[in-house]
Amino acid sequence: MSAPASPQFNVISQGKILSGFEERQVRDNLVARLKLSNAQVERLLTGAVVIKKSLSSSDARKYQALFVRLGLAVTLQPCPSEEVATKPVQPASIEAAQPAKSSAPSTASRAKPAKDADIQRDVLALAKERLHQPIPKLPVTTAYKLGLFSVTLLSLIAPLIYISLTICAIVGTIWYGMSIPDILAVRKTNAMGVLMVFVPVLLGTVFALFLLKPFFGRDHENRTLELNPKKYRRFYQLVQLLTERMGLPAPVKIYVDGEVNAHVAPEKGLLSLFQGRLTLTVGLPLLAGMNSRQFIGVLGHEFGHFAQRNAMIANYIVNTANAWMASRAFYPDAWDRRLSKWREYSPIFALDVALIAAQGMIKGTRLILKYLFLFNLRVTRWMSREMEYDADRYESWVAGSETFQSTAVALWNMSMSQQRRDEIWQSAWNEDRLIDNLPQTIAQLAAELSQEEIDAVRAKMDERQTNVWDTHPADNDRIAHAESLGYEPVWTDEFPATELMPDFDALCKIVTLRIYNSMGLEKPEQYLCSFEEIRDVHSKMNESEEALKRYFADLFSMRLMKPFNATPTEVDLAGAVTELRGQIPRATAQMELYWEAYQHMEAAQVGLAYVEAGYNIDAADFGVKAGDISSVQRSLDDRRTEVKRMAGELSRCLDAYVAQRMHLAMAQMSEEDKARAESLYNTFRQLFLLRDIWDSLPLCMAGLNALYRQDEEERPKFFAQAAARHVQLAREYLRQFHQISANIDLRFSTSKEQTLAEFAVNWGVNPEEKLDELNAGAIFQISDRCLRVMRYAYRRTISELALQCLQEEEKLGVPPLKVELKAATA
């Protein structure tokens, strides 16, 4: 059996001038390069004309690239199987093109998209049909090349200065070190003089190590997931087909992650770029939220960057140099801390001189590198934007210029939806729930955007202007550029892009778990829920939060209210609301005084911590009468008494009236609603048992935090003792919390009817933790989590109770508190 014949192509003029060329320029190019007559040029520019027949794929692609460089749009049309190859036609015998009898689509005459069933059966066959033509290397202007060359040269100034400094530091240090014997032989000096001779060696060594550090930086952890080439063979083949048509090497590895992005990069730095070893990283939200035409266009854009190989090499060098500049210019590192510490413990004057000089040299070098970096950044941003425009041309060639805008809008929509998704899952995580499919959720939220929200996104895109510091041009500029090209699409089908990736849902869930693991969440699979369940939780939380604001007329705060019992009264529910409304001015004023007193108490607590540790304080800074321990302690006791008095006043003018209002509302509820409301109020009562921990643990943490914020090298004699006292107090409060919280039943709708102790475990407050074995930092973290879980449970309980009571008031026609307040104020 003979091998199948290789496909052959006809090269056909489209009769159109490519964007960026003038007609006169194209005419001159055709005459000068191909030696065509004016009549032949006219025929090429007036319609479809066969230029070359029956060429191999590689030869046809070369001709296409040639005419693209000359400014003429041409297409490659597969030869019909019955067509006999003939000798290539000379320019003088250009023929009018006849309609080709081919089943494959041409650029001029597009096939209709295949049905979804056919696509699912064989996506790769469809891709071979759509990508049957080579994609030419699109020409760049002389101005682009000159600009790229100039920018590259300018951007090398900073790294050359950097490398020169490094070499000078190393060579100078070695040279001087080798000269020390001669110096000592000539000079007769004492021990101090000998040490001073060695100062430049120490100085040069420290400076050289400081400059050499970026060359030995560690690679960042790769949090992407590599696709198995065997399991995902179809996707690898699809990408390989696209890169083959673009004349580029196929990526050696393909990764996926959960970002709304895709990018192509060298596998292992600059050497891989020269070797053509590339990797592709695909954000799964792109597949979930785009159609196949948009997604293939995005891949065309990313690989389009590498169509201009020299530009990518220059860009890689520039970005690497910028990263070096930034690391040395802006970010203090271990050397800064090390030199400061050495100076503190320097035993001799000579060493102190060397360290001071080293610090001065490093500081001066950082200042120089800072401005070199900013210069580099300003210069190279132009190159980055031009490269984006260049890659946009390939995206437009693959997916069509008309699709560029919809792709840009889709990316904006998904980026906005990603932020919304993160808000939803983070709030749901407070109640032990995690979204089971993060990439799909982004696409779902994007698909649910209202027309008003989509219009707002487009308006934001239109308003954005390109800034000189931007790496990418503004979207409206890019859209205008793409549409001006007028490219017809190569890939015309618009079925869901998820069909391009086998086992897409399973892959999304694997990536989702990797995202949670990268955040430090342990065993996240046990918390996975559908997005619908998560959204229901989020919706209930938002509804109750809104009710909380309306019910309390902005008087609610994280002060633990006192839950009064029901008492007989002749006032009805409407009357209770009226009475509470009358208390608002007094309660508002009292609330301000309470928090002011609390801040003074916290300041006094911090002052006491400092004094106990042995620090000298300015009494006025901490609101105390004097700076000795007994005076500060008395001031703190006075502040505690004042806060307690203020809390009592608030209980009488606010808490009692709120409790009366709640009890009257519950009395009017149906049996079912009343039972639920009473269970919430019972939780409210139980939470009040935490009041001592609620008030005192924050003060203990404030003192501990203040102590450990001080310079480690300047800690006074009694620091450890004072810190240990605060840590021990925190341990005692945590033990009390474990004991009390085990008897507090949470009953807000999304709590899964856990006790507060059980609920707190997933916040990192575990009653089985051996507190005595933990250091101060760990105790502080657990204390912080304890405070947050108490406050969260309290707020959720009160907000749902407020929601039920507010719904009952609305049912009975009781005027809301805030509306009447506004009317009275008016």
Side-chain angles (χ1 to χ4, degrees):
M1 186 190 303
S2 60
S6 300
Q8 293 186 315
F9 298 86
N10 293 336
V11 182
I12 300 175
S13 167
Q14 293 183 338
K16 295 194 300 185
I17 305 297
L18 290 175
S19 176
F21 291 88
E22 299 292 338
E23 182 176 344
R24 172 49 57 190
Q25 179 187 5
V26 175
R27 288 180 180 274
D28 292 344
N29 289 343
L30 292 171
V31 171
R33 183 66 183 271
L34 302 180
K35 310 301 182 186
L36 299 180
S37 66
N38 289 332
Q40 289 173 328
V41 171
E42 191 65 32
R43 291 180 64 191
L44 286 175
L45 296 177
T46 54
V49 175
V50 175
I51 300 173
K52 290 289 183 180
K53 287 184 177 181
S54 304
L55 298 178
S56 67
S57 175
S58 60
D59 288 341
R61 191 173 180 277
K62 291 178 182 177
Y63 271 96
Q64 185 182 35
L66 169 64
F67 279 96
V68 167
R69 287 195 295 273
L70 298 179
L72 180 65
V74 299
T75 185
L76 305 184
Q77 189 176 77
C79 297
S81 58
E82 66 271 14
E83 182 176 296
V84 179
T86 60
K87 185 178 179 179
V89 183
Q90 297 301 319
S93 59
I94 295 174
E95 304 171 1
Q98 300 297 322
K101 299 177 181 179
S102 173
S103 59
S106 68
T107 305
S109 177
R110 300 293 176 188
K112 294 181 179 180
K115 295 179 180 179
D116 287 351
D118 297 331
I119 294 167
Q120 292 171 358
R121 282 197 295 271
D122 198 346
V123 169
L124 188 59
L126 176 69
K128 290 178 179 178
E129 183 180 354
R130 297 294 179 261
L131 300 173
H132 64 280
Q133 298 182 19
I135 298 171
K137 182 178 179 180
L138 300 176
V140 293
T141 63
T142 303
Y144 176 84
K145 294 178 181 178
L146 290 175
L148 181 64
F149 179 73
S150 302
V151 167
T152 305
L153 287 181
L154 288 171
S155 66
L156 289 176
I157 294 175
L160 285 175
I161 293 175
Y162 186 96
I163 293 171
S164 299
L165 278 172
T166 306
I167 294 173
C168 288
I170 295 172
V171 173
T173 303
I174 294 173
W175 173 81
Y176 181 82
M178 294 174 66
S179 303
I180 287 178
D182 297 332
I183 297 173
L184 293 176
V186 172
R187 296 182 181 179
K188 293 183 179 181
T189 183
N190 55 21
M192 180 60 69
V194 172
L195 288 174
M196 292 298 292
V197 169
F198 282 91
V199 164
V201 176
L202 176 61
L203 177 62
T205 302
V206 170
F207 188 55
L209 291 173
F210 166 78
L211 294 172
L212 283 170
K213 187 174 180 180
F215 293 94
F216 302 98
R218 297 179 180 177
D219 292 334
H220 295 291
E221 180 185 359
N222 189 350
R223 295 181 177 178
T224 56
L225 173 66
E226 181 182 351
L227 292 183
N228 186 314
K230 293 182 178 179
K231 183 175 181 180
Y232 296 95
R233 183 180 68 255
R234 188 177 72 185
F235 190 76
Y236 268 89
Q237 290 174 336
L238 171 64
V239 174
Q240 182 179 1
L241 180 62
L242 176 62
T243 55
E244 181 183 301
R245 294 295 185 262
M246 296 179 71
L248 297 171
V252 294
K253 294 179 181 178
I254 298 178
Y255 299 94
V256 291
D257 61 20
E259 299 300 315
V260 183
N261 195 16
H263 63 271
V264 178
E267 182 186 22
K268 294 180 180 178
L270 187 61
L271 180 60
S272 296
L273 196 55
F274 282 105
Q275 294 173 337
R277 292 182 64 82
L278 307 176
T279 64
L280 168 66
T281 301
V282 176
L284 293 182
L286 300 184
L287 284 158
M290 289 183 167
N291 61 48
S292 62
R293 182 172 171 182
Q294 293 170 327
F295 179 75
I296 297 296
V298 169
L299 293 186
H301 174 99
E302 298 306 324
F303 285 111
H305 282 299
F306 288 83
Q308 303 294 340
R309 188 172 176 226
N310 292 335
M312 283 308 301
I313 292 172
N315 186 62
Y316 184 88
I317 294 172
V318 165
N319 287 339
T320 302
N322 285 347
W324 283 357
M325 298 297 103
S327 69
R328 297 295 79 193
F330 296 103
Y331 306 118
D333 59 17
W335 275 112
D336 297 274
R337 296 186 293 273
R338 194 176 291 125
L339 290 175
S340 297
K341 189 171 183 179
W342 287 352
R343 278 191 60 195
E344 291 290 332
Y345 295 95
S346 172
I348 54 177
F349 175 73
L351 180 58
D352 204 29
V353 169
L355 294 174
I356 292 172
Q359 287 179 312
M361 291 182 67
I362 288 174
K363 185 176 181 180
T365 303
R366 275 208 169 104
L367 187 63
I368 294 171
L369 293 178
K370 172 185 174 181
Y371 289 103
L372 286 174
F373 168 77
L374 294 175
F375 169 78
N376 247 25
L377 207 63
R378 175 65 180 85
V379 169
T380 56
R381 286 299 187 248
W382 173 88
M383 180 176 71
S384 177
R385 292 192 297 271
E386 290 300 311
M387 291 178 67
E388 288 302 320
Y389 279 129
D390 184 56
D392 288 346
R393 294 191 300 161
Y394 287 92
E395 179 177 344
S396 299
W397 187 282
V398 173
S401 294
E402 63 186 25
T403 307
F404 193 91
Q405 178 177 323
S406 67
T407 302
V409 172
L411 287 169
W412 269 78
N413 290 347
M414 283 190 284
S415 296
M416 184 173 72
S417 298
Q418 183 176 22
Q419 296 175 6
R420 184 172 298 179
R421 178 208 65 182
D422 291 346
E423 292 172 3
I424 292 173
W425 86 256
Q426 287 170 10
S427 65
W429 174 233
N430 287 331
E431 301 189 9
D432 306 336
R433 290 172 173 84
L434 293 171
I435 298 173
D436 62 354
N437 192 325
L438 291 175
Q440 286 277 29
T441 300
I442 293 176
Q444 182 176 342
L445 288 171
E448 294 173 355
L449 291 176
S450 66
Q451 188 58 49
E452 182 179 355
E453 290 173 317
I454 294 173
D455 292 341
V457 167
R458 187 55 207 269
K460 190 174 181 179
M461 292 172 64
D462 291 339
E463 290 172 3
R464 183 172 175 266
Q465 301 297 318
T466 302
N467 186 280
V468 293
W469 297 102
D470 290 340
T471 58
H472 290 57
D475 290 280
N476 51 0
D477 294 333
R478 295 175 68 181
I479 291 169
H481 169 257
E483 291 178 345
S484 71
L485 298 173
Y487 290 161
E488 293 294 325
V490 171
W491 187 284
T492 58
D493 300 87
E494 297 184 355
F495 57 86
T498 54
E499 297 182 18
L500 299 173
M501 181 74 74
D503 299 322
F504 181 72
D505 285 339
L507 186 60
C508 284
K509 291 181 179 179
I510 293 172
V511 168
T512 296
L513 289 175
R514 287 176 67 90
I515 292 172
Y516 292 140
N517 285 325
S518 71
M519 295 175 177
L521 303 183
E522 297 182 2
K523 299 180 180 179
E525 57 276 3
Q526 63 183 311
Y527 306 112
L528 297 181
C529 302
S530 68
F531 177 60
E532 294 307 321
E533 181 179 345
I534 297 288
R535 180 154 55 181
D536 182 58
V537 170
H538 185 68
S539 176
K540 288 178 179 178
M541 292 170 64
N542 285 343
E543 184 182 18
S544 59
E545 276 295 309
E546 182 61 31
L548 188 69
K549 295 175 184 177
R550 292 166 54 204
Y551 191 77
F552 283 91
D554 298 326
L555 282 176
F556 180 81
S557 70
M558 293 314 294
R559 177 189 64 87
L560 189 60
M561 292 190 299
K562 184 176 181 179
F564 286 87
N565 294 324
T567 56
T569 178
E570 296 181 358
V571 178
D572 61 5
L573 183 54
V577 173
T578 301
E579 287 185 352
L580 177 57
R581 189 179 301 121
Q583 292 295 320
I584 286 178
R586 179 186 171 193
T588 301
Q590 200 66 38
M591 187 79 73
E592 292 177 358
L593 293 173
Y594 171 84
W595 287 115
E596 183 180 348
Y598 191 92
Q599 289 173 358
H600 290 159
M601 179 177 65
E602 189 175 77
Q605 176 67 57
V606 171
L608 180 62
Y610 282 146
V611 172
E612 287 179 338
Y615 291 103
N616 294 321
I617 66 169
D618 186 341
D621 291 341
F622 298 92
V624 296
K625 296 178 180 178
D628 59 283
I629 291 181
S630 59
S631 296
V632 176
Q633 183 65 65
R634 283 195 301 272
S635 295
L636 177 59
D637 292 341
D638 292 342
R639 297 299 185 191
R640 288 181 185 276
T641 301
E642 180 68 10
V643 168
K644 187 175 181 179
R645 187 184 69 80
M646 294 287 182
E649 287 291 328
L650 276 172
S651 293
R652 288 187 290 274
C653 70
L654 179 62
D655 300 353
Y657 288 90
V658 169
Q660 176 182 252
R661 180 186 180 189
M662 287 181 170
H663 285 302
L664 290 171
M666 287 188 285
Q668 301 294 322
M669 294 178 185
S670 65
E671 290 300 320
E672 182 180 353
D673 290 343
K674 183 178 180 180
R676 183 167 182 278
E678 287 179 343
S679 69
L680 287 168
Y681 200 87
N682 187 53
T683 300
F684 177 19
R685 286 194 185 95
Q686 293 171 345
L687 287 168
F688 191 69
L689 299 174
L690 296 168
R691 62 187 178 277
D692 290 338
I693 305 171
W694 188 285
D695 293 335
S696 301
L697 184 56
L699 298 178
C700 179
M701 291 176 61
L704 190 61
N705 182 53
L707 289 175
Y708 277 96
R709 287 177 60 186
Q710 299 305 307
D711 190 341
E712 184 177 354
E713 304 299 333
E714 298 178 357
R715 290 175 179 173
K717 180 179 179 180
F718 300 106
F719 178 90
Q721 181 179 340
R725 189 182 75 83
H726 281 78
V727 170
Q728 189 57 36
L729 277 174
R731 289 193 181 106
E732 291 302 320
Y733 289 132
L734 289 173
R735 291 189 179 101
Q736 291 178 32
F737 172 80
H738 293 323
Q739 183 178 2
I740 298 171
S741 62
N743 298 308
I744 297 178
D745 299 315
L746 300 182
R747 289 295 180 265
F748 51 87
S749 60
T750 54
S751 64
K752 302 179 182 178
E753 296 190 350
Q754 297 171 299
T755 64
L756 178 57
E758 294 169 334
F759 187 71
V761 169
N762 290 316
W763 286 65
V765 185
N766 192 335
E768 297 180 2
E769 195 88 56
K770 296 181 179 179
L771 299 176
D772 289 331
E773 298 178 4
L774 300 179
N775 60 24
I779 291 295
F780 184 89
Q781 289 181 346
I782 295 174
S783 299
D784 179 64
R785 295 168 190 159
C786 179
L787 281 176
R788 287 190 290 114
V789 74
M790 283 193 300
R791 291 167 178 170
Y792 182 82
Y794 173 68
R795 189 180 188 97
R796 291 287 291 117
T797 299
I798 298 300
S799 65
E800 291 211 1
L801 183 57
L803 175 62
Q804 274 203 264
C805 293
L806 192 62
Q807 289 174 340
E808 188 64 29
E809 289 177 1
E810 291 174 347
K811 191 187 302 182
L812 297 173
V814 177
L817 190 64
K818 196 169 184 177
V819 171
E820 290 295 327
L821 176 62
K822 288 182 177 179
T825 303

